[in-house]
Amino acid sequence: MLIPLPAMPSPGGPPSRYFLSMRPWFLALLIVQSICVVAQLFLILDIMGGFINGICLGLGWYAWHQDMHITFICYWGFMGLINGAFDIVRFIDMWVHLRGPLFSKDDAARNIINGFRILGPISFVLGAWMAYRFYSRQGEAEANGGGDWAQRRAAERQPIADTSWQGPRFQTFGGQGQRLGTD
């Protein structure tokens, strides 16, 4: 299935001040997601879900390692949105079919596992929101001179050739037209 999406942005220089100011929050969310993925793999024993979330998490860590690379932040956010939404639906399905309360005073292990079942999807959906914020602020960084994007855009707006020549003028749909099959 093809989902029509705009092209993912690519950085044209160093990250903007906004990206750098959000770097500690991005790191904190990646650490929370890492703990949730480890718990999903080894505590909950959801191997397939943990593996797929691990791929998403790898994109986030790569984006962080590459100085907040906007392309990989967008990939991380989009994949996190999809995985987080599916994990929320899976949690709701588990909760509806659960016999007894979600949390119990007597069973600490059950409380920890269910806590991670709630925290994991929320952290990935929160990551998608954060990636959207980065994506929406990408244009502001460009307009405010973040990186060298503004200098390149100014050079792109300069005409290559003399634009004083106007060329032939015509009116769209201004002709007489011809009908087929008539003499």
Side-chain angles (χ1 to χ4, degrees):
M1 180 170 78
L2 178 66
I3 301 172
L5 295 172
M8 294 295 170
S10 61
S16 68
R17 286 185 294 268
Y18 174 73
F19 278 43
L20 292 176
S21 71
M22 292 299 291
R23 190 176 168 107
W25 292 103
F26 189 74
L27 177 64
L29 187 58
L30 286 176
I31 290 171
V32 168
Q33 287 180 347
S34 297
I35 293 168
C36 289
V37 166
V38 168
Q40 189 175 12
L41 287 169
F42 299 109
L43 192 63
I44 302 173
L45 297 177
D46 179 14
I47 306 302
M48 190 65 181
F51 179 75
I52 292 172
N53 284 340
I55 292 171
C56 176
L57 183 62
L59 289 169
W61 279 112
Y62 186 75
W64 181 81
H65 183 265
Q66 294 296 319
D67 291 328
M68 305 297 285
H69 196 288
I70 185 63
T71 305
F72 290 100
I73 290 174
C74 289
Y75 291 149
W76 166 74
F78 192 67
M79 192 170 178
L81 177 66
I82 293 170
N83 288 344
F86 280 128
D87 285 346
I88 288 172
V89 169
R90 185 178 351 174
F91 171 75
I92 292 171
D93 180 58
M94 185 264 322
W95 190 13
V96 167
H97 294 99
L98 186 67
R99 302 210 189 277
L102 185 63
F103 294 104
S104 171
K105 294 180 198 174
D106 304 330
D107 196 0
R110 179 179 177 170
N111 293 342
I112 291 171
I113 288 172
N114 286 335
F116 279 117
R117 284 186 175 153
I118 294 171
L119 183 62
I122 290 173
S123 70
F124 279 99
V125 171
L126 186 62
W129 175 78
M130 183 181 278
Y132 173 74
R133 295 283 301 172
F134 282 125
Y135 178 75
S136 63
R137 297 287 296 256
Q138 180 71 15
E140 292 176 20
E142 187 174 318
N144 294 332
D148 65 345
W149 304 313
Q151 290 83 11
R152 272 199 258 153
R153 293 291 180 169
E156 289 175 2
R157 291 188 180 105
Q158 301 300 324
I160 295 174
D162 181 24
T163 58
S164 61
W165 182 74
Q166 296 295 322
R169 299 197 180 265
F170 66 93
Q171 179 74 22
T172 307
F173 301 113
Q176 295 215 359
Q178 299 178 8
R179 291 187 175 258
L180 296 176
T182 60
D183 293 335

